[in-house]
Amino acid sequence: MTDILLPPNRFPALRSRTTRALNAGAPLPVEAGSCHNAATLCGGNHGNCSSGEELFIRVLFAIEMSGKRRQIVQQGGGSKKGRLAARAELSAALRGQAGREEARRAWEKRAAASCGPVVVDSVPFQHCIIHSFIENSTFLDGLKEELLDLRFHEKSNDLYKFQQSEDLKSRKEPHISALRDVLFVDFRQWLSEVTGVKLETTVDISCAQYNYTDTLLCHDDELEGRRFAFILYLAPEWSEADGGTLDLYSTDDRTQPGSIVKSLVPSCNTLVFFEVSPVSFHQVSEVLSEDKCRLSVSGWFHGSSLARPPRCLDPAPIRNPHIPLDHEILYEWINPAYLSFEYQSQIQEEFEDSSEISLKEFLKEEKFGAVCAALETHHIDWELLGPPNRRCYKKAKGEIPEVLSACMDLLRSEAFFLFLSNLTGLKLHFLAPDNEDSDEGEGSSGDNTKSLMRRHGAGPADPSAQSEGGKVPTCTGELRHWKHGNYTMIHDQDPEWQELALDLLLFCGCEEWEPEYGGFTSYIAKEEDEELLTVYPENNCLALVYRDRETMRFVKHINHRSLQRDANRPNRSGFWDFAFAYYE
């Protein structure tokens, strides 16, 4: 190799770097005797350049440009070469015809089988687990970096709480684009051949982050056009104790979900897919790890939907008229302030204006204390209500302690029906005054009291939902226990939303209950995300809400944070409420 002699006093800081590069065999892609590529360094005046300097400048320029080109390629941007560097490929086992045929036979027979990295099973419904989905696992590092740089949006409603990215179908990042190509082309073809289902080119795809207390509750994924759901896990090392498992549910003869029969722990570079069907009920269990993020890419392949049987309807709750107990029970139980006619008139004005009100310190202190003591110390037979795609909480059944039974009687009593009429202006008792000055002229005694939806400008309620003359006011009610893991969800077939109703909630055992625990009741407009009202659990607080059939409600999932509060209360977990609905 020819030694290069550099002028000793010019460009000293770069001298050793250039010499090292030349001695390492760096090419010199410049012509001898020319320094035009270094005009900015010699000022364009070749007289200022010695031959050594000139060659040095040319070498330096070549090295700098070569370094920039390498940097662009390594970063994966700017050129086609950069994008080609982020290349994804299905694992060799998936590309082989023999393994594909073995998986196809297992899927066709609905048999459990392990075909190399592919595990096929039909219990509780057909699904498949593919380990080492992407051939080059180092590709996943770049993919995770690009995904975590995306903008994520908090998603929270009755069904879920997690963070979701925008649609990945239009993203230009090299690793995301490469993964998309693999899923939309190579894997879609593999999936179609293995399952025997003709798939459309439409594929939904997004990225999700599940952090501490995030969850996706029980559902079946059914939506027009969805044929297969898939999840590619990109989580760190994970265990069942971290939560975030994909839980699969059994179903009964009415296609209603029952119990969890299989839980799949997230594993990086593992893809799970299952057929979307009337029985494909599943959930993402609550993430319990406080320092790990359950990262995944998920979506749906589209094709002809499977036939669905008629949806199972809940039985209508039994409604009962008031029981014959007079006003003495009110004086026995209720804070005397609320028995003042003047105060009741003030409350009615507020209620007619807002369709809801909360009455604090509602029960007398000694009565409320006796109720809480019975709930904490007496044996109560609690029944867990389901199915889990609609609700999960406990209701008291059978015989209950005397003081709790007396409180239930208070809320069912004739005197309490009349008391509620005075507070709300609703016709819940034949002695309640008629609102003859109503400017709506719809014939209902409760016309001055508008439902929650109408107060928020959603238009008049359906006239068929108005009470008719001669109807006997009725109510339904239950004593409920709420704790970690409990919730209710919205569903269109809920029979309680067929007419106007006054909801009542009386809370017990809510000291130091924080909104971040969940357990609050949200009222929303039907088929919209708009939240109309949130009722938070508050000790000895009576909440009244007037709703119509365009208003839906749910109790938010109670998360793992609530256990921090319960740890200091050995006799108590969660809280309780008396939940009633009254109908004119």
Side-chain angles (χ1 to χ4, degrees), residues 169 180 183-185 188-189 192 197-205 225 230 300-304:
K169 283 187 285 192
R180 191 170 59 235
L183 289 170
F184 287 22
V185 180
R188 185 167 63 87
Q189 180 181 348
S192 183
V197 176
K198 184 178 180 180
L199 297 175
E200 301 170 3
T201 56
T202 303
V203 183
D204 300 321
I205 182 171
F230 71 90
W300 296 271
F301 291 93
H302 286 245
S304 299

mmCIF file with all atom_site columns, all heavy atoms in Angstrom, residues 169 180 183-185 188-189 192 197-205 225 230 300-304:
data_model
loop_
_atom_site.group_PDB
_atom_site.id
_atom_site.type_symbol
_atom_site.label_atom_id
_atom_site.label_alt_id
_atom_site.label_comp_id
_atom_site.label_asym_id
_atom_site.label_entity_id
_atom_site.label_seq_id
_atom_site.pdbx_PDB_ins_code
_atom_site.Cartn_x
_atom_site.Cartn_y
_atom_site.Cartn_z
_atom_site.occupancy
_atom_site.B_iso_or_equiv
_atom_site.pdbx_formal_charge
_atom_site.auth_seq_id
_atom_site.auth_comp_id
_atom_site.auth_asym_id
_atom_site.auth_atom_id
_atom_site.pdbx_PDB_model_num
ATOM 1   N N   . LYS A 1 169 ? -52.042 0.508   8.025  1.00 0.00 ? 169 LYS A N   1
ATOM 2   C CA  . LYS A 1 169 ? -52.062 0.213   6.593  1.00 0.00 ? 169 LYS A CA  1
ATOM 3   C C   . LYS A 1 169 ? -51.373 1.279   5.750  1.00 0.00 ? 169 LYS A C   1
ATOM 4   O O   . LYS A 1 169 ? -50.911 0.996   4.653  1.00 0.00 ? 169 LYS A O   1
ATOM 5   C CB  . LYS A 1 169 ? -53.509 0.033   6.118  1.00 0.00 ? 169 LYS A CB  1
ATOM 6   C CG  . LYS A 1 169 ? -54.096 -1.315  6.488  1.00 0.00 ? 169 LYS A CG  1
ATOM 7   C CD  . LYS A 1 169 ? -55.461 -1.533  5.871  1.00 0.00 ? 169 LYS A CD  1
ATOM 8   C CE  . LYS A 1 169 ? -56.526 -0.740  6.582  1.00 0.00 ? 169 LYS A CE  1
ATOM 9   N NZ  . LYS A 1 169 ? -57.884 -1.157  6.181  1.00 0.00 ? 169 LYS A NZ  1
ATOM 10  N N   . ARG A 1 180 ? -46.150 -5.540  7.240  1.00 0.00 ? 180 ARG A N   1
ATOM 11  C CA  . ARG A 1 180 ? -47.434 -5.471  6.536  1.00 0.00 ? 180 ARG A CA  1
ATOM 12  C C   . ARG A 1 180 ? -47.406 -6.327  5.262  1.00 0.00 ? 180 ARG A C   1
ATOM 13  O O   . ARG A 1 180 ? -48.355 -7.055  4.957  1.00 0.00 ? 180 ARG A O   1
ATOM 14  C CB  . ARG A 1 180 ? -47.760 -4.018  6.210  1.00 0.00 ? 180 ARG A CB  1
ATOM 15  C CG  . ARG A 1 180 ? -49.166 -3.784  5.713  1.00 0.00 ? 180 ARG A CG  1
ATOM 16  C CD  . ARG A 1 180 ? -49.473 -2.304  5.647  1.00 0.00 ? 180 ARG A CD  1
ATOM 17  N NE  . ARG A 1 180 ? -48.556 -1.597  4.773  1.00 0.00 ? 180 ARG A NE  1
ATOM 18  C CZ  . ARG A 1 180 ? -47.831 -0.535  5.145  1.00 0.00 ? 180 ARG A CZ  1
ATOM 19  N NH1 . ARG A 1 180 ? -47.916 -0.079  6.382  1.00 0.00 ? 180 ARG A NH1 1
ATOM 20  N NH2 . ARG A 1 180 ? -47.029 0.061   4.293  1.00 0.00 ? 180 ARG A NH2 1
ATOM 21  N N   . LEU A 1 183 ? -47.696 -10.021 6.242  1.00 0.00 ? 183 LEU A N   1
ATOM 22  C CA  . LEU A 1 183 ? -49.035 -10.394 6.691  1.00 0.00 ? 183 LEU A CA  1
ATOM 23  C C   . LEU A 1 183 ? -50.038 -10.370 5.543  1.00 0.00 ? 183 LEU A C   1
ATOM 24  O O   . LEU A 1 183 ? -50.848 -11.295 5.385  1.00 0.00 ? 183 LEU A O   1
ATOM 25  C CB  . LEU A 1 183 ? -49.495 -9.452  7.808  1.00 0.00 ? 183 LEU A CB  1
ATOM 26  C CG  . LEU A 1 183 ? -48.805 -9.605  9.162  1.00 0.00 ? 183 LEU A CG  1
ATOM 27  C CD1 . LEU A 1 183 ? -49.173 -8.455  10.080 1.00 0.00 ? 183 LEU A CD1 1
ATOM 28  C CD2 . LEU A 1 183 ? -49.167 -10.937 9.814  1.00 0.00 ? 183 LEU A CD2 1
ATOM 29  N N   . PHE A 1 184 ? -50.011 -9.311  4.744  1.00 0.00 ? 184 PHE A N   1
ATOM 30  C CA  . PHE A 1 184 ? -51.027 -9.124  3.714  1.00 0.00 ? 184 PHE A CA  1
ATOM 31  C C   . PHE A 1 184 ? -50.852 -10.067 2.529  1.00 0.00 ? 184 PHE A C   1
ATOM 32  O O   . PHE A 1 184 ? -51.822 -10.350 1.824  1.00 0.00 ? 184 PHE A O   1
ATOM 33  C CB  . PHE A 1 184 ? -51.007 -7.689  3.212  1.00 0.00 ? 184 PHE A CB  1
ATOM 34  C CG  . PHE A 1 184 ? -51.563 -6.681  4.179  1.00 0.00 ? 184 PHE A CG  1
ATOM 35  C CD1 . PHE A 1 184 ? -51.629 -6.951  5.538  1.00 0.00 ? 184 PHE A CD1 1
ATOM 36  C CD2 . PHE A 1 184 ? -52.015 -5.449  3.747  1.00 0.00 ? 184 PHE A CD2 1
ATOM 37  C CE1 . PHE A 1 184 ? -52.127 -6.017  6.435  1.00 0.00 ? 184 PHE A CE1 1
ATOM 38  C CE2 . PHE A 1 184 ? -52.529 -4.513  4.630  1.00 0.00 ? 184 PHE A CE2 1
ATOM 39  C CZ  . PHE A 1 184 ? -52.573 -4.802  5.980  1.00 0.00 ? 184 PHE A CZ  1
ATOM 40  N N   . VAL A 1 185 ? -49.635 -10.526 2.297  1.00 0.00 ? 185 VAL A N   1
ATOM 41  C CA  . VAL A 1 185 ? -49.373 -11.355 1.110  1.00 0.00 ? 185 VAL A CA  1
ATOM 42  C C   . VAL A 1 185 ? -49.035 -12.787 1.529  1.00 0.00 ? 185 VAL A C   1
ATOM 43  O O   . VAL A 1 185 ? -49.828 -13.707 1.362  1.00 0.00 ? 185 VAL A O   1
ATOM 44  C CB  . VAL A 1 185 ? -48.240 -10.749 0.252  1.00 0.00 ? 185 VAL A CB  1
ATOM 45  C CG1 . VAL A 1 185 ? -47.989 -11.626 -0.971 1.00 0.00 ? 185 VAL A CG1 1
ATOM 46  C CG2 . VAL A 1 185 ? -48.597 -9.320  -0.174 1.00 0.00 ? 185 VAL A CG2 1
ATOM 47  N N   . ARG A 1 188 ? -51.324 -14.246 4.476  1.00 0.00 ? 188 ARG A N   1
ATOM 48  C CA  . ARG A 1 188 ? -52.715 -14.363 4.026  1.00 0.00 ? 188 ARG A CA  1
ATOM 49  C C   . ARG A 1 188 ? -52.882 -15.587 3.115  1.00 0.00 ? 188 ARG A C   1
ATOM 50  O O   . ARG A 1 188 ? -53.874 -16.312 3.209  1.00 0.00 ? 188 ARG A O   1
ATOM 51  C CB  . ARG A 1 188 ? -53.160 -13.090 3.312  1.00 0.00 ? 188 ARG A CB  1
ATOM 52  C CG  . ARG A 1 188 ? -54.634 -13.101 2.913  1.00 0.00 ? 188 ARG A CG  1
ATOM 53  C CD  . ARG A 1 188 ? -55.098 -11.714 2.508  1.00 0.00 ? 188 ARG A CD  1
ATOM 54  N NE  . ARG A 1 188 ? -54.398 -11.236 1.340  1.00 0.00 ? 188 ARG A NE  1
ATOM 55  C CZ  . ARG A 1 188 ? -54.787 -11.480 0.073  1.00 0.00 ? 188 ARG A CZ  1
ATOM 56  N NH1 . ARG A 1 188 ? -55.864 -12.207 -0.151 1.00 0.00 ? 188 ARG A NH1 1
ATOM 57  N NH2 . ARG A 1 188 ? -54.116 -11.002 -0.938 1.00 0.00 ? 188 ARG A NH2 1
ATOM 58  N N   . GLN A 1 189 ? -51.906 -15.810 2.249  1.00 0.00 ? 189 GLN A N   1
ATOM 59  C CA  . GLN A 1 189 ? -51.958 -16.988 1.384  1.00 0.00 ? 189 GLN A CA  1
ATOM 60  C C   . GLN A 1 189 ? -51.842 -18.268 2.209  1.00 0.00 ? 189 GLN A C   1
ATOM 61  O O   . GLN A 1 189 ? -52.579 -19.240 1.990  1.00 0.00 ? 189 GLN A O   1
ATOM 62  C CB  . GLN A 1 189 ? -50.829 -16.934 0.348  1.00 0.00 ? 189 GLN A CB  1
ATOM 63  C CG  . GLN A 1 189 ? -50.806 -18.128 -0.597 1.00 0.00 ? 189 GLN A CG  1
ATOM 64  C CD  . GLN A 1 189 ? -49.649 -18.059 -1.591 1.00 0.00 ? 189 GLN A CD  1
ATOM 65  O OE1 . GLN A 1 189 ? -48.996 -17.036 -1.722 1.00 0.00 ? 189 GLN A OE1 1
ATOM 66  N NE2 . GLN A 1 189 ? -49.398 -19.172 -2.280 1.00 0.00 ? 189 GLN A NE2 1
ATOM 67  N N   . SER A 1 192 ? -55.129 -18.830 4.099  1.00 0.00 ? 192 SER A N   1
ATOM 68  C CA  . SER A 1 192 ? -56.192 -19.275 3.204  1.00 0.00 ? 192 SER A CA  1
ATOM 69  C C   . SER A 1 192 ? -56.031 -20.745 2.840  1.00 0.00 ? 192 SER A C   1
ATOM 70  O O   . SER A 1 192 ? -57.009 -21.517 2.821  1.00 0.00 ? 192 SER A O   1
ATOM 71  C CB  . SER A 1 192 ? -56.203 -18.408 1.942  1.00 0.00 ? 192 SER A CB  1
ATOM 72  O OG  . SER A 1 192 ? -57.265 -18.765 1.091  1.00 0.00 ? 192 SER A OG  1
ATOM 73  N N   . VAL A 1 197 ? -60.339 -21.197 3.496  1.00 0.00 ? 197 VAL A N   1
ATOM 74  C CA  . VAL A 1 197 ? -61.250 -20.058 3.397  1.00 0.00 ? 197 VAL A CA  1
ATOM 75  C C   . VAL A 1 197 ? -60.685 -19.049 2.412  1.00 0.00 ? 197 VAL A C   1
ATOM 76  O O   . VAL A 1 197 ? -59.511 -18.665 2.516  1.00 0.00 ? 197 VAL A O   1
ATOM 77  C CB  . VAL A 1 197 ? -61.454 -19.389 4.772  1.00 0.00 ? 197 VAL A CB  1
ATOM 78  C CG1 . VAL A 1 197 ? -62.323 -18.140 4.636  1.00 0.00 ? 197 VAL A CG1 1
ATOM 79  C CG2 . VAL A 1 197 ? -62.077 -20.370 5.748  1.00 0.00 ? 197 VAL A CG2 1
ATOM 80  N N   . LYS A 1 198 ? -61.506 -18.623 1.463  1.00 0.00 ? 198 LYS A N   1
ATOM 81  C CA  . LYS A 1 198 ? -61.087 -17.596 0.526  1.00 0.00 ? 198 LYS A CA  1
ATOM 82  C C   . LYS A 1 198 ? -61.141 -16.247 1.228  1.00 0.00 ? 198 LYS A C   1
ATOM 83  O O   . LYS A 1 198 ? -62.196 -15.825 1.715  1.00 0.00 ? 198 LYS A O   1
ATOM 84  C CB  . LYS A 1 198 ? -61.991 -17.582 -0.702 1.00 0.00 ? 198 LYS A CB  1
ATOM 85  C CG  . LYS A 1 198 ? -61.557 -16.598 -1.768 1.00 0.00 ? 198 LYS A CG  1
ATOM 86  C CD  . LYS A 1 198 ? -62.469 -16.650 -2.987 1.00 0.00 ? 198 LYS A CD  1
ATOM 87  C CE  . LYS A 1 198 ? -62.004 -15.644 -4.041 1.00 0.00 ? 198 LYS A CE  1
ATOM 88  N NZ  . LYS A 1 198 ? -62.887 -15.675 -5.246 1.00 0.00 ? 198 LYS A NZ  1
ATOM 89  N N   . LEU A 1 199 ? -59.995 -15.582 1.289  1.00 0.00 ? 199 LEU A N   1
ATOM 90  C CA  . LEU A 1 199 ? -59.901 -14.323 2.025  1.00 0.00 ? 199 LEU A CA  1
ATOM 91  C C   . LEU A 1 199 ? -59.835 -13.148 1.067  1.00 0.00 ? 199 LEU A C   1
ATOM 92  O O   . LEU A 1 199 ? -59.249 -13.240 -0.015 1.00 0.00 ? 199 LEU A O   1
ATOM 93  C CB  . LEU A 1 199 ? -58.665 -14.334 2.926  1.00 0.00 ? 199 LEU A CB  1
ATOM 94  C CG  . LEU A 1 199 ? -58.654 -15.402 4.024  1.00 0.00 ? 199 LEU A CG  1
ATOM 95  C CD1 . LEU A 1 199 ? -57.326 -15.392 4.760  1.00 0.00 ? 199 LEU A CD1 1
ATOM 96  C CD2 . LEU A 1 199 ? -59.805 -15.172 5.002  1.00 0.00 ? 199 LEU A CD2 1
ATOM 97  N N   . GLU A 1 200 ? -60.429 -12.045 1.488  1.00 0.00 ? 200 GLU A N   1
ATOM 98  C CA  . GLU A 1 200 ? -60.363 -10.810 0.723  1.00 0.00 ? 200 GLU A CA  1
ATOM 99  C C   . GLU A 1 200 ? -59.018 -10.134 0.947  1.00 0.00 ? 200 GLU A C   1
ATOM 100 O O   . GLU A 1 200 ? -58.264 -10.497 1.855  1.00 0.00 ? 200 GLU A O   1
ATOM 101 C CB  . GLU A 1 200 ? -61.503 -9.879  1.149  1.00 0.00 ? 200 GLU A CB  1
ATOM 102 C CG  . GLU A 1 200 ? -62.888 -10.482 0.960  1.00 0.00 ? 200 GLU A CG  1
ATOM 103 C CD  . GLU A 1 200 ? -63.969 -9.631  1.613  1.00 0.00 ? 200 GLU A CD  1
ATOM 104 O OE1 . GLU A 1 200 ? -63.622 -8.550  2.166  1.00 0.00 ? 200 GLU A OE1 1
ATOM 105 O OE2 . GLU A 1 200 ? -65.139 -10.054 1.596  1.00 0.00 ? 200 GLU A OE2 1
ATOM 106 N N   . THR A 1 201 ? -58.737 -9.130  0.135  1.00 0.00 ? 201 THR A N   1
ATOM 107 C CA  . THR A 1 201 ? -57.479 -8.394  0.310  1.00 0.00 ? 201 THR A CA  1
ATOM 108 C C   . THR A 1 201 ? -57.554 -7.437  1.487  1.00 0.00 ? 201 THR A C   1
ATOM 109 O O   . THR A 1 201 ? -56.526 -6.959  1.961  1.00 0.00 ? 201 THR A O   1
ATOM 110 C CB  . THR A 1 201 ? -57.142 -7.610  -0.971 1.00 0.00 ? 201 THR A CB  1
ATOM 111 O OG1 . THR A 1 201 ? -58.239 -6.746  -1.294 1.00 0.00 ? 201 THR A OG1 1
ATOM 112 C CG2 . THR A 1 201 ? -56.890 -8.557  -2.137 1.00 0.00 ? 201 THR A CG2 1
ATOM 113 N N   . THR A 1 202 ? -58.763 -7.152  1.977  1.00 0.00 ? 202 THR A N   1
ATOM 114 C CA  . THR A 1 202 ? -58.930 -6.244  3.115  1.00 0.00 ? 202 THR A CA  1
ATOM 115 C C   . THR A 1 202 ? -58.376 -6.861  4.386  1.00 0.00 ? 202 THR A C   1
ATOM 116 O O   . THR A 1 202 ? -58.747 -7.986  4.764  1.00 0.00 ? 202 THR A O   1
ATOM 117 C CB  . THR A 1 202 ? -60.415 -5.900  3.325  1.00 0.00 ? 202 THR A CB  1
ATOM 118 O OG1 . THR A 1 202 ? -60.941 -5.325  2.135  1.00 0.00 ? 202 THR A OG1 1
ATOM 119 C CG2 . THR A 1 202 ? -60.587 -4.925  4.486  1.00 0.00 ? 202 THR A CG2 1
ATOM 120 N N   . VAL A 1 203 ? -57.475 -6.143  5.033  1.00 0.00 ? 203 VAL A N   1
ATOM 121 C CA  . VAL A 1 203 ? -56.912 -6.578  6.320  1.00 0.00 ? 203 VAL A CA  1
ATOM 122 C C   . VAL A 1 203 ? -56.871 -5.359  7.236  1.00 0.00 ? 203 VAL A C   1
ATOM 123 O O   . VAL A 1 203 ? -56.366 -4.301  6.846  1.00 0.00 ? 203 VAL A O   1
ATOM 124 C CB  . VAL A 1 203 ? -55.495 -7.168  6.170  1.00 0.00 ? 203 VAL A CB  1
ATOM 125 C CG1 . VAL A 1 203 ? -54.986 -7.659  7.521  1.00 0.00 ? 203 VAL A CG1 1
ATOM 126 C CG2 . VAL A 1 203 ? -55.470 -8.304  5.148  1.00 0.00 ? 203 VAL A CG2 1
ATOM 127 N N   . ASP A 1 204 ? -57.430 -5.493  8.416  1.00 0.00 ? 204 ASP A N   1
ATOM 128 C CA  . ASP A 1 204 ? -57.330 -4.432  9.425  1.00 0.00 ? 204 ASP A CA  1
ATOM 129 C C   . ASP A 1 204 ? -56.101 -4.699  10.279 1.00 0.00 ? 204 ASP A C   1
ATOM 130 O O   . ASP A 1 204 ? -55.852 -5.842  10.668 1.00 0.00 ? 204 ASP A O   1
ATOM 131 C CB  . ASP A 1 204 ? -58.572 -4.406  10.319 1.00 0.00 ? 204 ASP A CB  1
ATOM 132 C CG  . ASP A 1 204 ? -59.842 -4.164  9.531  1.00 0.00 ? 204 ASP A CG  1
ATOM 133 O OD1 . ASP A 1 204 ? -59.801 -3.356  8.596  1.00 0.00 ? 204 ASP A OD1 1
ATOM 134 O OD2 . ASP A 1 204 ? -60.868 -4.805  9.844  1.00 0.00 ? 204 ASP A OD2 1
ATOM 135 N N   . ILE A 1 205 ? -55.355 -3.648  10.583 1.00 0.00 ? 205 ILE A N   1
ATOM 136 C CA  . ILE A 1 205 ? -54.128 -3.847  11.368 1.00 0.00 ? 205 ILE A CA  1
ATOM 137 C C   . ILE A 1 205 ? -53.807 -2.590  12.169 1.00 0.00 ? 205 ILE A C   1
ATOM 138 O O   . ILE A 1 205 ? -53.890 -1.467  11.655 1.00 0.00 ? 205 ILE A O   1
ATOM 139 C CB  . ILE A 1 205 ? -52.936 -4.228  10.449 1.00 0.00 ? 205 ILE A CB  1
ATOM 140 C CG1 . ILE A 1 205 ? -51.670 -4.480  11.264 1.00 0.00 ? 205 ILE A CG1 1
ATOM 141 C CG2 . ILE A 1 205 ? -52.712 -3.184  9.372  1.00 0.00 ? 205 ILE A CG2 1
ATOM 142 C CD1 . ILE A 1 205 ? -50.532 -5.068  10.450 1.00 0.00 ? 205 ILE A CD1 1
ATOM 143 N N   . GLY A 1 225 ? -67.932 -9.081  7.980  1.00 0.00 ? 225 GLY A N   1
ATOM 144 C CA  . GLY A 1 225 ? -66.733 -9.180  7.158  1.00 0.00 ? 225 GLY A CA  1
ATOM 145 C C   . GLY A 1 225 ? -65.527 -9.754  7.855  1.00 0.00 ? 225 GLY A C   1
ATOM 146 O O   . GLY A 1 225 ? -64.609 -10.251 7.196  1.00 0.00 ? 225 GLY A O   1
ATOM 147 N N   . PHE A 1 230 ? -56.167 -11.973 14.400 1.00 0.00 ? 230 PHE A N   1
ATOM 148 C CA  . PHE A 1 230 ? -54.772 -12.362 14.641 1.00 0.00 ? 230 PHE A CA  1
ATOM 149 C C   . PHE A 1 230 ? -54.119 -11.397 15.620 1.00 0.00 ? 230 PHE A C   1
ATOM 150 O O   . PHE A 1 230 ? -54.490 -10.229 15.707 1.00 0.00 ? 230 PHE A O   1
ATOM 151 C CB  . PHE A 1 230 ? -53.974 -12.412 13.326 1.00 0.00 ? 230 PHE A CB  1
ATOM 152 C CG  . PHE A 1 230 ? -53.707 -11.053 12.720 1.00 0.00 ? 230 PHE A CG  1
ATOM 153 C CD1 . PHE A 1 230 ? -52.565 -10.341 13.043 1.00 0.00 ? 230 PHE A CD1 1
ATOM 154 C CD2 . PHE A 1 230 ? -54.606 -10.492 11.826 1.00 0.00 ? 230 PHE A CD2 1
ATOM 155 C CE1 . PHE A 1 230 ? -52.321 -9.090  12.501 1.00 0.00 ? 230 PHE A CE1 1
ATOM 156 C CE2 . PHE A 1 230 ? -54.373 -9.239  11.270 1.00 0.00 ? 230 PHE A CE2 1
ATOM 157 C CZ  . PHE A 1 230 ? -53.228 -8.545  11.605 1.00 0.00 ? 230 PHE A CZ  1
ATOM 158 N N   . TRP A 1 300 ? -57.687 -8.091  11.713 1.00 0.00 ? 300 TRP A N   1
ATOM 159 C CA  . TRP A 1 300 ? -58.596 -9.098  11.190 1.00 0.00 ? 300 TRP A CA  1
ATOM 160 C C   . TRP A 1 300 ? -58.382 -9.273  9.688  1.00 0.00 ? 300 TRP A C   1
ATOM 161 O O   . TRP A 1 300 ? -58.197 -8.298  8.955  1.00 0.00 ? 300 TRP A O   1
ATOM 162 C CB  . TRP A 1 300 ? -60.053 -8.698  11.422 1.00 0.00 ? 300 TRP A CB  1
ATOM 163 C CG  . TRP A 1 300 ? -60.423 -8.615  12.859 1.00 0.00 ? 300 TRP A CG  1
ATOM 164 C CD1 . TRP A 1 300 ? -60.908 -9.605  13.660 1.00 0.00 ? 300 TRP A CD1 1
ATOM 165 C CD2 . TRP A 1 300 ? -60.334 -7.449  13.688 1.00 0.00 ? 300 TRP A CD2 1
ATOM 166 N NE1 . TRP A 1 300 ? -61.116 -9.142  14.931 1.00 0.00 ? 300 TRP A NE1 1
ATOM 167 C CE2 . TRP A 1 300 ? -60.774 -7.812  14.980 1.00 0.00 ? 300 TRP A CE2 1
ATOM 168 C CE3 . TRP A 1 300 ? -59.935 -6.125  13.468 1.00 0.00 ? 300 TRP A CE3 1
ATOM 169 C CZ2 . TRP A 1 300 ? -60.814 -6.932  16.034 1.00 0.00 ? 300 TRP A CZ2 1
ATOM 170 C CZ3 . TRP A 1 300 ? -59.972 -5.243  14.515 1.00 0.00 ? 300 TRP A CZ3 1
ATOM 171 C CH2 . TRP A 1 300 ? -60.414 -5.639  15.790 1.00 0.00 ? 300 TRP A CH2 1
ATOM 172 N N   . PHE A 1 301 ? -58.419 -10.524 9.257  1.00 0.00 ? 301 PHE A N   1
ATOM 173 C CA  . PHE A 1 301 ? -58.520 -10.848 7.843  1.00 0.00 ? 301 PHE A CA  1
ATOM 174 C C   . PHE A 1 301 ? -60.003 -10.975 7.505  1.00 0.00 ? 301 PHE A C   1
ATOM 175 O O   . PHE A 1 301 ? -60.769 -11.557 8.274  1.00 0.00 ? 301 PHE A O   1
ATOM 176 C CB  . PHE A 1 301 ? -57.803 -12.171 7.535  1.00 0.00 ? 301 PHE A CB  1
ATOM 177 C CG  . PHE A 1 301 ? -56.312 -12.083 7.656  1.00 0.00 ? 301 PHE A CG  1
ATOM 178 C CD1 . PHE A 1 301 ? -55.676 -12.408 8.843  1.00 0.00 ? 301 PHE A CD1 1
ATOM 179 C CD2 . PHE A 1 301 ? -55.535 -11.667 6.588  1.00 0.00 ? 301 PHE A CD2 1
ATOM 180 C CE1 . PHE A 1 301 ? -54.295 -12.328 8.964  1.00 0.00 ? 301 PHE A CE1 1
ATOM 181 C CE2 . PHE A 1 301 ? -54.148 -11.583 6.699  1.00 0.00 ? 301 PHE A CE2 1
ATOM 182 C CZ  . PHE A 1 301 ? -53.528 -11.904 7.889  1.00 0.00 ? 301 PHE A CZ  1
ATOM 183 N N   . HIS A 1 302 ? -60.385 -10.448 6.345  1.00 0.00 ? 302 HIS A N   1
ATOM 184 C CA  . HIS A 1 302 ? -61.798 -10.414 5.992  1.00 0.00 ? 302 HIS A CA  1
ATOM 185 C C   . HIS A 1 302 ? -62.160 -11.501 4.997  1.00 0.00 ? 302 HIS A C   1
ATOM 186 O O   . HIS A 1 302 ? -61.356 -11.904 4.154  1.00 0.00 ? 302 HIS A O   1
ATOM 187 C CB  . HIS A 1 302 ? -62.157 -9.039  5.424  1.00 0.00 ? 302 HIS A CB  1
ATOM 188 C CG  . HIS A 1 302 ? -62.233 -7.971  6.460  1.00 0.00 ? 302 HIS A CG  1
ATOM 189 N ND1 . HIS A 1 302 ? -63.393 -7.312  6.776  1.00 0.00 ? 302 HIS A ND1 1
ATOM 190 C CD2 . HIS A 1 302 ? -61.288 -7.463  7.297  1.00 0.00 ? 302 HIS A CD2 1
ATOM 191 C CE1 . HIS A 1 302 ? -63.158 -6.429  7.741  1.00 0.00 ? 302 HIS A CE1 1
ATOM 192 N NE2 . HIS A 1 302 ? -61.877 -6.500  8.072  1.00 0.00 ? 302 HIS A NE2 1
ATOM 193 N N   . GLY A 1 303 ? -63.394 -11.965 5.101  1.00 0.00 ? 303 GLY A N   1
ATOM 194 C CA  . GLY A 1 303 ? -63.955 -12.964 4.208  1.00 0.00 ? 303 GLY A CA  1
ATOM 195 C C   . GLY A 1 303 ? -65.432 -13.100 4.513  1.00 0.00 ? 303 GLY A C   1
ATOM 196 O O   . GLY A 1 303 ? -66.008 -12.309 5.259  1.00 0.00 ? 303 GLY A O   1
ATOM 197 N N   . SER A 1 304 ? -66.057 -14.120 3.956  1.00 0.00 ? 304 SER A N   1
ATOM 198 C CA  . SER A 1 304 ? -67.481 -14.331 4.207  1.00 0.00 ? 304 SER A CA  1
ATOM 199 C C   . SER A 1 304 ? -67.707 -14.686 5.669  1.00 0.00 ? 304 SER A C   1
ATOM 200 O O   . SER A 1 304 ? -67.070 -15.600 6.203  1.00 0.00 ? 304 SER A O   1
ATOM 201 C CB  . SER A 1 304 ? -68.012 -15.450 3.309  1.00 0.00 ? 304 SER A CB  1
ATOM 202 O OG  . SER A 1 304 ? -67.852 -15.112 1.947  1.00 0.00 ? 304 SER A OG  1
#
